[in-house]
Amino acid sequence: AQSVTQPDIHITVSEGASLELRCNYSYGATPYLFWYVQSPGQGLQLLLKYFSGDTLVQGIKGFEAEFKRSQSSFNLRKPSVHWSDAAEYFCAVANSGNTGKLIFGQGTTLQVKP
Amino acid sequence: EPEVTQTPSHQVTQMGQEVILRCVPISNHLYFYWYRQILGQKVEFLVSFYNNEISEKSEIFDDQFSVERPDGSNFTLKIRSTKLEDSAMYFCASTAYNTGELFFGEGSRLTVL
């Protein structure tokens, strides 16, 4: 069965520090991979997605993610975190035929220390 | 910027009551979805809707649930007889095509007492 695992439930980083949020997936075929962010009181917003091609994808707000097929991973990174990045981050996978049917990880809550 | 809007933001109901959650998707979108997130758990797919019919549904989406697009703009989720375990945040989402970016609403929190 398809699944997504985000090993870190909660991460705290200092403002200006680098960030990496981990995501591992289990999927039979080539997955479509996504990262979403949810700020308090807001809906889920797409940060970036990988469908094919270059395995390093750039997203909004300075985020990037790298697809590593050999490790079944799609980790999210940001070189310098801002206080406004504090939010919950969700990794998700879909099949190529219907990217509206997402399977989500359990989410990682990011706290940013001043 | 166009957005998906959901009402109510929070609803409290008694077990066994019917609840309707409303969503206004982005106007030119054709594919509509409901997801839910029980507190502390993953966001889960409930149902997808296209061309005025359900295109796919999860095991969660049993006979107590129904969806409708009554007037070409609203997209509703009805829970016929709520249970305690229906307490969750319900998210509506829409997209213009089935491989496009999903746009989510802010969610409707349902509390069943």
Side-chain angles (χ1 to χ4, degrees):
Chain A
Q2 303 162 20
S3 66
V4 177
T5 301
Q6 293 179 244
D8 305 304
I9 302 298
H10 192 112
I11 282 184
T12 300
V13 300
S14 297
E15 190 168 17
S18 63
L19 171 70
E20 182 169 30
L21 302 181
R22 297 182 290 165
C23 172
N24 293 98
Y25 66 89
S26 172
Y27 191 77
T30 300
Y32 282 18
L33 294 159
F34 306 81
W35 275 100
Y36 282 85
V37 61
Q38 185 182 27
S39 299
Q42 305 284 316
L44 296 159
Q45 181 184 24
L46 181 67
L47 283 176
L48 48 78
K49 63 188 179 188
Y50 172 78
F51 283 6
S52 65
D54 191 345
T55 56
L56 183 64
V57 292
Q58 303 296 320
I60 62 171
K61 305 185 181 189
F63 286 92
E64 66 178 28
E66 186 170 12
F67 170 57
K68 293 186 177 180
R69 184 188 301 276
S70 61
Q71 299 177 18
S72 297
S73 69
F74 188 58
N75 293 349
L76 182 72
R77 301 193 294 248
K78 186 169 185 178
S80 177
V81 167
H82 188 262
W83 64 266
S84 60
D85 293 323
E88 188 156 21
Y89 291 80
F90 295 92
C91 182
V93 65
N95 70 50
S96 59
N98 182 4
T99 56
K101 185 185 176 185
L102 297 170
I103 296 169
F104 283 90
Q106 60 265 53
T108 299
T109 300
L110 173 65
Q111 184 178 1
V112 180
K113 293 189 301 186
Chain B
E1 183 176 328
E3 58 182 16
V4 175
T5 57
Q6 291 185 240
T7 54
S9 56
H10 189 190
Q11 181 158 355
V12 181
T13 190
Q14 295 291 323
M15 191 169 55
Q17 294 297 303
E18 176 183 284
V19 161
I20 297 176
L21 305 178
R22 291 182 168 80
C23 170
V24 179
I26 294 173
S27 62
N28 64 338
H29 285 185
L30 301 175
Y31 297 81
F32 313 109
Y33 304 84
W34 284 100
Y35 285 78
R36 79 171 186 191
Q37 184 180 29
I38 295 172
L39 190 63
Q41 298 187 23
K42 297 183 180 185
V43 177
E44 303 172 290
F45 168 81
L46 289 178
V47 66
S48 58
F49 190 87
Y50 170 72
N51 201 25
N52 282 321
E53 61 182 24
I54 290 173
S55 46
E56 193 165 355
K57 60 183 180 179
S58 72
E59 293 175 354
I60 303 166
F61 195 89
D62 62 21
D63 292 344
Q64 294 296 318
F65 291 88
S66 62
V67 289
E68 195 177 35
R69 189 157 160 80
D71 56 12
S73 62
N74 289 284
F75 178 52
T76 62
L77 174 69
K78 182 191 291 186
I79 308 174
R80 193 169 63 203
S81 178
T82 50
K83 308 183 187 70
L84 294 176
E85 55 264 37
D86 294 327
S87 295
M89 181 73 88
Y90 289 81
F91 293 102
C92 175
S94 69
T95 185
Y97 49 99
N98 68 349
T99 58
E101 174 183 348
L102 273 193
F103 290 82
F104 283 85
E106 293 182 1
S108 293
R109 180 168 296 286
L110 175 64
T111 301
V112 182
L113 303 177

